[in-house]
Amino acid sequence: DPRHPSVQTIAHSVEASWHLNQPGLSYSDTFEVNDGDDTLVGFTVLNWAGRLPSDEPVLGFWDGDHFRSYLDERSASVSVNLHALSALRGQPGTPHLDLARQVTRWLVDHTGSDGLLHDKWHLSPCYSVAHAVAAFAGWDDRLLKRHLDFLLDHQRPDGGWGWFGTSTLEETAHCVLALEQALRSARL
């Protein structure tokens, strides 16, 4: 529950970081270069916790049809755009919903020949697929089903997930959270 005192403590910390240097977030309060991924995820968390941050830092990473990780980035990141979709689709009105639709088109255009979204920051598709489930749940059922099928088809006999031969804690955690998000979305 976003009103829980421990969640509000974390939200307060994220909000303090949001306003520390320039609005938005980087991976550390001591590193002053904000990035799109941390800013988009922080924006989602702050809105979920009822803090309602300005969307100006988020929109600063918009690049015509997708979001960037860094202002001078040469190639876009799938995970940044999945996080953008999650951040934008919950916001009312324009430009948020228009941008969410454009990001969805960009993601469809950047789907691999295997039907999956592969990210330049992660070797395992489990990360991007798990985040795609969260982004598409309640937004695009066809894309959601494709990614859910991948997760269910690639669960290992030990119950976990891992792309390189054995289950890993990180990949399993992302996949379990994605499945929980899909289940919660189906109940709404």
Side-chain angles (χ1 to χ4, degrees):
D1 186 326
R3 296 167 299 202
H4 191 278
S6 62
V7 171
Q8 285 300 313
T9 299
I10 293 168
H12 177 74
S13 175
V14 172
E15 188 175 41
S17 293
W18 185 271
H19 297 292
L20 186 63
N21 298 308
Q22 55 184 337
L25 297 170
S26 73
Y27 70 88
S28 167
D29 285 351
T30 60
F31 185 70
E32 296 185 14
V33 178
N34 290 346
D35 68 81
D37 204 30
D38 290 323
T39 298
L40 286 155
V41 171
F43 183 77
T44 301
V45 168
L46 289 172
N47 276 293
W48 173 73
R51 299 299 176 113
L52 307 176
S54 166
D55 63 1
E56 188 175 330
V58 166
L59 298 176
F61 289 98
W62 179 247
D63 193 27
D65 67 344
H66 68 277
F67 282 85
R68 300 172 293 201
S69 301
Y70 294 98
L71 298 180
D72 294 328
E73 183 178 38
R74 290 184 181 191
S75 63
S77 163
V78 164
S79 63
V80 167
N81 285 280
L82 288 167
H83 295 148
L85 179 56
S86 293
L88 294 168
R89 56 176 259 204
Q91 299 300 308
T94 56
H96 305 108
L97 294 179
D98 291 339
L99 293 176
R101 285 189 273 279
Q102 289 181 58
V103 167
T104 301
R105 281 191 296 276
W106 186 90
L107 289 165
V108 168
D109 290 346
H110 286 81
T111 299
S113 59
D114 58 1
L116 299 176
L117 294 162
H118 298 277
D119 192 50
K120 69 180 185 176
W121 300 115
H122 304 278
L123 292 175
S124 168
C126 291
Y127 180 87
S128 56
V129 169
H131 288 254
V133 167
F136 295 134
W139 178 255
D140 187 314
D141 290 340
R142 182 183 54 85
L143 295 172
L144 170 64
K145 183 179 179 338
R146 177 186 309 159
H147 291 88
L148 277 174
D149 288 346
F150 173 87
L151 289 184
L152 296 173
D153 290 346
H154 287 85
Q155 186 175 20
R156 298 195 158 281
D158 66 2
W161 282 265
W163 192 245
F164 298 103
T166 60
S167 294
T168 68
L169 181 60
E170 180 182 6
E171 290 167 289
T172 298
H174 284 292
C175 294
V176 167
L177 289 170
L179 292 171
E180 192 276 332
Q181 175 67 35
L183 181 61
R184 190 172 358 139
S185 176
R187 289 182 182 155
L188 296 178

